[in-house]
Amino acid sequence: MARLVSIWDGMPHDLKRSKVSVLIPALNEARNLPHVAARMPTDIDEIVFVNGNSVDDTAEVALQLWPDAVHVAQTRKGKGNALACGIAAASGDIIVLMDADGSTDPLEIPRYVAALTSGADFAKGSRFIQGGGSADITTFRRFGNKGLNMLVNILFATKYTDLCYGYNALWRHCLESIQMPDVGHAEPQWGDGFEVETLINVRVAASDLKIAEVCSYEANRIHGTSNLNAVRDGIRVLRTIWREFLQARKRVKATPALRAVVQPLAELHELDPDAAEQAS
């Protein structure tokens, strides 16, 4: 049986209580949702559940488990669009982003809330700091994540230890800096896919928001198979880094050394940096 925890465990009693929304995007996760619900802290103010055109009974199970939640259907395909739709519907001061497959543990939510109420703008989950870990990541994905993480740390002067991990939390005021993809367009938008996690992380970094890393353990998904494709989505992450770097360079002049780092990577994946800069 899961230990019942409060999202305000360890918080000073005189601290003003902020409204916490937990955003759960799901695509064909009906069998995993009872596990997630059983481990959810009981004093969460708002659950925002986003159904991604599931072909199983995900929507029905979610409605049974969380009848008082905000239930949303995403407008396009992809995790990024699901998060954007959920964020648009969330009303909390604090928004927690997690997964529906059982890999991210709701019992960790108090850590994220504590990081934010202690002064951070953005609480970044990490599997690679003390107290964290992963039963799911493959050697190939670990190597790719490490390389992309190093690149972002160089380009955006960050100290991230885990770039491609989606268990995060933020204060509402961060949304102005993050600028999630517009949910109203019918056509696909950049950031609609798994690259959204990188997009969020680099925009937070480029906006000089205060970031705190939170240790997190990623379990194996309980049922079903992941929609993540390491090669395809890795390339989209790389392109996202480049696009965001171009945007940041407009605000802060980049050194020739930084451009030398990114130029070969852009050419490798058939990106024209000058054309991309003109189009951005």
Side-chain angles (χ1 to χ4, degrees):
M1 181 178 293
R3 182 177 66 89
L4 296 181
V5 297
S6 168
I7 54 175
W8 300 101
D9 279 352
M11 295 296 101
H13 294 296
D14 58 349
L15 185 70
K16 181 181 177 182
R17 195 189 193 292
S18 300
K19 182 176 181 179
V20 177
S21 297
V22 174
L23 198 167
I24 308 173
L27 175 62
N28 300 324
E29 301 288 6
R31 292 192 293 168
N32 295 323
L33 295 181
H35 171 83
V36 176
R39 297 180 69 81
M40 189 68 65
T42 57
D43 50 351
I44 294 295
D45 299 292
E46 179 180 65
I47 300 288
V48 180
F49 186 83
V50 185
N51 179 33
N53 301 311
S54 299
V55 297
D56 64 2
D57 56 349
T58 289
E60 292 77 11
V61 171
L63 191 59
Q64 292 173 3
L65 293 169
W66 298 296
D68 298 324
V70 178
H71 293 266
V72 180
Q74 69 178 94
T75 57
R76 297 185 298 272
K77 294 181 179 181
K79 183 177 182 179
N81 175 250
L83 291 182
C85 290
I87 286 173
S91 61
D93 306 298
I94 290 173
I95 302 174
V96 181
L97 313 177
M98 61 177 300
D99 291 331
D101 59 6
S103 64
T104 52
D105 189 354
L107 290 178
E108 294 181 356
I109 291 175
R111 297 180 192 169
Y112 290 86
V113 173
L116 295 177
T117 56
S118 295
D121 298 302
F122 182 72
K124 172 80 185 79
S126 175
R127 297 163 290 183
F128 306 126
I129 59 176
Q130 185 174 2
S134 177
D136 177 69
I137 192 168
T138 64
T139 301
F140 179 74
R141 284 171 48 211
R142 185 186 296 268
F143 178 78
N145 184 49
K146 185 175 182 179
L148 294 168
N149 190 95
M150 185 180 301
L151 180 61
V152 165
N153 285 345
I154 292 172
L155 297 181
F156 293 90
T158 55
K159 296 181 179 179
Y160 286 138
T161 62
D162 193 357
L163 179 67
C164 302
Y165 189 47
Y167 200 175
N168 304 306
L170 56 125
W171 287 104
R172 173 167 291 277
H173 68 79
C174 295
L175 298 177
E176 183 177 352
S177 299
I178 294 173
Q179 292 293 307
M180 294 292 287
D182 192 332
V183 300
H185 290 288
E187 295 298 317
Q189 304 291 305
W190 193 264
D192 274 355
F194 282 104
E195 74 278 2
V196 68
E197 293 155 3
T198 297
L199 183 146
I200 291 172
N201 291 333
V202 298
R203 288 184 179 177
V204 165
S207 299
D208 292 325
L209 294 169
K210 186 175 180 180
I211 303 165
E213 286 199 323
V214 176
C215 63
S216 178
Y217 184 81
E218 179 187 35
N220 285 312
R221 70 161 33 247
I222 302 172
H223 300 288
T225 57
S226 174
N227 295 303
L228 176 70
N229 181 291
V231 175
R232 179 196 64 209
D233 293 315
I235 291 174
R236 288 183 66 87
V237 166
L238 183 59
R239 290 179 173 175
T240 298
I241 294 169
W242 176 243
R243 288 164 64 101
E244 295 302 314
F245 173 68
L246 291 179
Q247 292 292 338
R249 196 179 64 172
K250 291 179 179 180
R251 298 187 293 272
V252 180
K253 185 177 181 181
T255 65
L258 290 183
R259 187 170 178 83
V261 170
V262 182
Q263 177 85 27
L265 295 171
E267 292 174 349
L268 177 64
H269 295 292
E270 300 179 345
L271 285 175
D272 180 345
D274 294 325
E277 184 171 14
Q278 294 171 5
S280 59

